[in-house]
Amino acid sequence: WVRAFAGNIGFSNILHAELLTMYHGLNLAWELDIKDMICYSDSKTAINLIEKPINEWHHFAAILHNIKDLLAMDWRVTVVHTLREGNACADYLAKLGARNVEVFSLLATLPVGIKLFLLADASGSWFTR
């Protein structure tokens, strides 16, 4: 555990939420001086948009540019797809954010409800699909 964040983006769609989460996560990692990391996402669509040239008319072009700018900085980040079942911590934080009134809240302490998910991840637990 290092840090996490949660927030309420209001009425939007899942792709917007995935891209904002990726942007905020990468930005936080950079600010914490984490220079070698793997960024997991359960959204193949988000990963494809990041890996390909940006369509300037895309609805989320500005966020995509921000993510690509972060990825181009002097560090090593690998963006990897994971199944939703392997992303329980992110799912927990998304649900926590949906109940939050703030758009972005930095979590310096471990939320009680996420401890079992982190333990399962650290022990290499497998989840059925």
Side-chain angles (χ1 to χ4, degrees):
W1 172 264
V2 179
R3 295 273 195 297
F5 62 91
N8 189 329
I9 62 169
F11 181 75
S12 189
N13 64 43
I14 192 65
L15 180 57
H16 185 219
E18 293 284 346
L19 293 171
L20 281 176
T21 299
M22 194 174 292
Y23 168 73
H24 286 302
L26 290 168
N27 196 48
L28 179 59
W30 179 262
E31 289 176 3
L32 293 172
D33 201 32
I34 299 169
K35 300 299 185 203
D36 190 2
M37 65 176 260
I38 300 172
C39 174
Y40 290 97
S41 174
D42 61 9
S43 173
K44 286 185 179 180
T45 303
I47 293 171
N48 287 337
L49 285 170
I50 291 162
E51 291 177 342
K52 294 179 180 171
I54 299 170
N55 174 348
E56 296 302 322
W57 297 103
H58 192 280
H59 190 69
F60 302 123
I63 299 169
L64 291 166
H65 277 293
N66 290 339
I67 292 169
K68 284 187 172 236
D69 287 347
L70 280 167
L71 290 172
M73 295 173 85
D74 186 25
W75 60 341
R76 191 170 32 203
V77 179
T78 305
V79 179
V80 177
H81 180 258
T82 187
L83 298 175
R84 184 177 51 233
E85 294 83 1
N87 216 9
C89 292
D91 187 51
Y92 176 88
L93 292 168
K95 289 174 183 169
L96 181 67
R99 295 188 311 263
N100 198 348
V101 295
E102 300 292 326
V103 173
F104 180 87
S105 295
L106 185 60
L107 306 172
T109 58
L110 186 66
V112 175
I114 205 169
K115 288 182 181 181
L116 288 176
F117 297 124
L118 285 174
L119 180 62
D121 187 45
S123 65
S125 295
W126 288 77
F127 298 93
T128 57
R129 186 146 167 81

